[in-house]
Amino acid sequence: MSAVQEIRVKADDADQRLDRWLKRRFPGLAQGRIEKLLRTGQIRVDGKRAKSNQRLLPDQDVRLPPNIAMPPPDEPDEVTAVRAPRSVSKSDAELIQSCVIYKDDDVIVLNKPPGLAVQGGTGTERHIDGMLDALQFEQEGRPKLVHRLDRDTSGVLVLARGARNAQLLGDAFRHRNARKIYWALVVGAPKPSQGKIDLALAKEAGPGGYERVAADEEDGKRAVTLFATAEAAGDRAAWLVLWPRTGRTHQLRVHCADALKTPIVGDGKYGGATARLPGDGVSGKLHLHARSIEIPHPSGNGLLKVKAPLPPHMAKTWEFFGFDADARIDPFPRD
């Protein structure tokens, strides 16, 4: 590429981070070079300067400089050699196929295990996005991600089969037409036991340069969560049912820790040492699970309703406290 070019964002590429969109087009493009090109204004979105974490929208124009994938003469190490995409290993294919809890011609739904990232990043080579070729089944083309879960959060993850379905499902998430219910075990029992959290959140630099999210009523973005206590083990711990009405990064984790003062068990990032329960009966892993989803089916035929069983460490905790892991609980009013 020897001239400046502009690429229009396709519908099935929408809602991706700009840096990840660039890396998919130029596999050898290093993060450091992306940051420099953005910092110097050589990469722009709709003619404006952009940041690497900016989410792309359909029909936006991304301006790229000449020879974007080639390192400058004085920076030979910023771009690595372009490698062919790796095929999915047998073990990864078996893993991701075992996660399928629903499948039809338009949609695949996974029960994502905790500890497996949805997409790659610095130091993350094994992730769901890299395994999607193993989920083509009888169709051509890999399914597409339409939303995300944190690495350590388990549960329902919806994939679209085909660009049109990806756009329809993506629109449903963006317009908040999806009813996503989460289960969490928290340290302590919130008072009141049910209610609404309306606490704005903003990203900030944490210790060691790690990104954190914190309450920020002045500069943060509005974040709303409905919560209800399903059962409690006295004042020691409680099983919460959570419905995030907005989709901010780490919203449920920060709302539980900061607004309710009951951090999610295993969430050392936001709860520190207080996010652990003493004794041998409860795992130290994060106890946050995307239990169920209701979303308009892209075919137009009613609602897609799927629920995901608890991961092993949470199922063991539920058994320890005598909670009913098969309970049908939806305490929130319908809109």
Side-chain angles (χ1 to χ4, degrees):
M1 284 166 281
S2 58
V4 171
Q5 61 172 328
E6 287 194 355
I7 301 177
R8 181 150 294 181
V9 178
K10 297 179 180 179
D12 54 343
D13 287 331
D15 202 37
Q16 286 188 55
R17 285 172 54 120
L18 175 57
D19 54 358
R20 290 174 182 159
W21 180 86
L22 288 165
K23 287 179 180 179
R24 286 189 176 185
R25 287 182 167 272
F26 309 102
L29 190 58
Q31 185 70 29
R33 180 155 168 76
I34 291 174
E35 297 291 350
K36 182 171 183 178
L37 292 172
L38 288 167
R39 190 170 60 249
T40 56
Q42 296 180 68
I43 297 176
R44 294 175 179 260
V45 177
D46 283 345
K48 299 177 181 178
R49 289 179 179 266
K51 294 185 177 180
S52 59
N53 63 354
Q54 177 174 326
R55 299 274 179 190
L56 295 173
L57 300 175
D59 296 326
Q60 284 186 317
D61 290 316
V62 181
R63 177 196 182 278
L64 303 176
N67 301 319
I68 182 173
M70 298 298 294
D74 58 341
E75 298 177 19
D77 295 327
E78 281 210 17
V79 179
T80 59
V82 175
R83 295 175 295 182
R86 291 179 296 178
S87 60
V88 182
S89 69
K90 181 180 178 181
S91 61
D92 281 352
E94 291 174 349
L95 168 65
I96 200 66
Q97 290 171 5
S98 73
C99 294
V100 175
I101 54 176
Y102 177 87
K103 175 171 73 73
D104 63 27
D105 290 341
D106 304 301
V107 180
I108 294 174
V109 182
L110 306 179
N111 184 7
K112 187 188 89 66
L116 181 61
V118 173
Q119 290 184 299
T122 304
T124 303
E125 294 187 0
R126 190 166 183 257
H127 47 82
I128 287 176
D129 194 29
M131 304 177 187
L132 293 182
D133 284 322
L135 297 179
Q136 295 185 51
F137 299 112
E138 73 285 355
Q139 292 188 5
E140 292 185 4
R142 69 201 316 255
K144 300 176 184 298
L145 295 165
V146 293
H147 69 122
R148 296 161 185 80
L149 293 174
D150 289 347
R151 179 200 295 266
D152 293 322
T153 301
S154 57
V156 172
L157 184 71
V158 179
L159 308 175
R161 307 184 82 177
R164 178 181 178 277
N165 293 326
Q167 181 175 359
L168 292 170
L169 289 167
D171 287 345
F173 279 104
R174 278 189 291 276
H175 299 310
R176 302 178 188 173
N177 293 328
R179 186 181 181 94
K180 291 194 296 181
I181 301 299
Y182 289 73
W183 286 5
L185 183 76
V186 298
V187 179
K191 296 179 178 58
S193 62
Q194 181 168 346
K196 173 181 169 181
I197 304 167
D198 192 342
L199 179 66
L201 303 175
K203 294 181 181 180
E204 61 177 23
Y210 290 101
E211 188 176 71
R212 285 176 51 88
V213 175
D216 189 336
E217 291 288 10
E218 184 174 346
D219 298 320
K221 295 181 179 179
R222 190 184 184 203
V224 177
T225 302
L226 302 184
F227 73 95
T229 303
E231 289 194 58
D235 290 330
R236 183 184 181 193
W239 162 15
L240 296 191
V241 182
L242 304 163
W243 182 12
R245 302 311 313 270
T246 52
R248 309 301 178 202
T249 300
H250 296 173
Q251 174 176 320
L252 298 181
R253 296 166 64 179
V254 179
H255 275 178
C256 286
D258 287 2
L260 298 181
K261 307 302 180 186
T262 55
I264 296 174
V265 171
D267 189 8
K269 183 167 188 173
Y270 293 105
T274 65
R276 287 189 172 272
L277 289 173
D280 299 327
V282 179
S283 167
K285 293 181 179 180
L286 184 69
H287 282 60
L288 179 61
H289 179 68
R291 170 63 172 176
S292 65
I293 193 165
E294 295 181 14
I295 191 170
H297 197 285
S299 67
N301 295 324
L303 288 175
L304 172 67
K305 300 181 181 181
V306 184
K307 67 178 181 179
L310 290 172
H313 75 281
M314 289 184 67
K316 184 178 179 180
T317 298
W318 260 236
E319 183 179 357
F320 175 79
F321 283 113
F323 298 156
D324 182 2
D326 296 318
R328 293 186 176 183
I329 299 175
D330 190 346
F332 307 118
R334 299 281 167 173
D335 288 340

